[in-house]
Amino acid sequence: MPKVPVTRNDVAVYAGVSTAVVSYVVNEGPRKVAPETRDRVLEAIRVLGYRPNATARALRIGTTRTLGLITPDGGNPLFAELAKAIDKEASARGYVVLQTSADGDPATEQAKIAELLIRQVSGLLLVAPTEDPDLTEVGIPVVAINRVLPSASSVRPQYREGARRGVEHLIAHGHRRIGLVIGGGRRRTGPSERELGWRDALRQAGFEDGPIARTTFSRQGGHDAGGELLKATKPPTAIFASSDLQAVGVLRAIHEAGLRVPEDVAVVAFDGTAETEYSWPPLTVVRQPLEQMARDAVGRLIDGQQAVEAVTYPADLILRRSCGCP
């Protein structure tokens, strides 16, 4: 026989309270419940296996307490760490996160936005660059992460300043010809902030721009770009990579060329995921403040901040062996 669902009345009888008190505990209001009474209700819910009707609860309190998160690549360690930080922050505030990937495709992102809206999410977090989606009919709060959208607040690291610091550190090690592995492919209409930061450092030091290899934000892209730079007429003595995945590919290309890191070619990367601690040698990185961005992005959605703001955060330079530091 099918199991009879546990009702709110069953919980009330077990806990020795009214059904209204059970409702106040489940819905976190509108009235306060004494801590001892709340504990009895929660114990009854656990013992009986009570599962509130989420749809009905959302109608009562005016929110599903669910956030939609769309990343460009769920397999990228950067976005995996960011998603974990977002989920932790949302959970601490009583929300759950529905995560999906757009595979870097604008049409897919737009379709995923529509799917999340059907599921009645309370807010949207849109990560990293694609073309600007149409948000005119969304009707819920939206926060962009690592990108800027005209109609939504955004949180992102100070890409240009962070890249400049990373390249300046290579210059401090005595490097004069510093190559750049930059993401975004070959269709980018203008230089990214990371490319501008690389140029800022070189020109402030009075050096010419080093060779550039444009590629995808991937290990394979970094491997191909690293091989391209090393085959240049005047190969670089140091390489700044615009992402960790690219840097890991660059390391392999350097090793395959029979060269040593950092003795022959130094490497610095932007992102700072855990993967960079376990490459060989460990990578010097400009680390994105993922936890702070996650905390602020979730807070902006839940707290309902109306003003459209573009907030940026300093990125930390983490020194390891790949740049030449001991």
Side-chain angles (χ1 to χ4, degrees), residues 32-52:
K32 293 184 178 181
V33 177
E36 299 81 1
T37 303
R38 182 176 182 276
D39 289 344
R40 291 208 313 274
V41 173
L42 292 176
E43 176 66 9
I45 289 173
R46 186 190 67 79
V47 171
L48 299 176
Y50 175 59
R51 297 292 180 268

Side-chain angles (χ1 to χ4, degrees), residues 247-276:
V248 169
V250 167
L251 289 179
R252 177 172 172 177
I254 294 171
H255 293 315
E256 289 177 347
L259 301 173
R260 299 167 300 164
V261 179
E263 292 84 356
D264 300 313
V265 184
V267 179
V268 172
F270 200 105
D271 279 345
T273 60
E275 182 167 348
T276 60

Side-chain angles (χ1 to χ4, degrees), residues 188-208:
R188 181 179 288 277
T189 57
S192 70
E193 291 182 85
R194 278 167 277 197
E195 181 175 339
L196 292 173
W198 168 76
R199 288 180 177 173
D200 290 343
L202 291 174
R203 292 179 182 178
Q204 287 171 12
F207 304 147
E208 295 182 355

Side-chain angles (χ1 to χ4, degrees), residues 119-140:
R119 286 163 174 75
Q120 296 183 316
V121 294
S122 305
L124 283 173
L125 296 159
L126 306 180
V127 182
T130 60
E131 296 176 10
D132 293 351
D134 181 6
L135 302 176
T136 54
E137 301 297 328
V138 167
I140 58 174

Side-chain angles (χ1 to χ4, degrees), residues 55-95:
T55 302
R57 181 174 183 271
L59 289 173
R60 284 194 300 272
I61 66 176
T63 176
T64 60
R65 290 185 174 270
T66 303
L67 304 179
L69 170 64
I70 304 178
T71 64
D73 179 4
N76 187 316
L78 174 70
F79 301 131
E81 288 188 23
L82 176 61
K84 182 177 180 180
I86 289 171
D87 185 68
K88 180 180 179 180
E89 183 65 25
S91 178
R93 302 189 60 163
Y95 281 67

Side-chain angles (χ1 to χ4, degrees), residues 186-244:
R186 302 178 186 275
R187 296 183 179 180
R188 181 179 288 277
T189 57
S192 70
E193 291 182 85
R194 278 167 277 197
E195 181 175 339
L196 292 173
W198 168 76
R199 288 180 177 173
D200 290 343
L202 291 174
R203 292 179 182 178
Q204 287 171 12
F207 304 147
E208 295 182 355
D209 291 353
I212 300 178
R214 302 187 188 279
T215 187
T216 58
F217 286 103
S218 67
R219 299 177 184 89
Q220 184 65 55
H223 177 265
D224 295 345
E228 178 184 332
L229 292 180
L230 294 175
K231 292 176 183 177
T233 304
K234 293 182 179 180
T237 63
I239 294 174
F240 181 77
S242 64
S243 77
D244 289 348

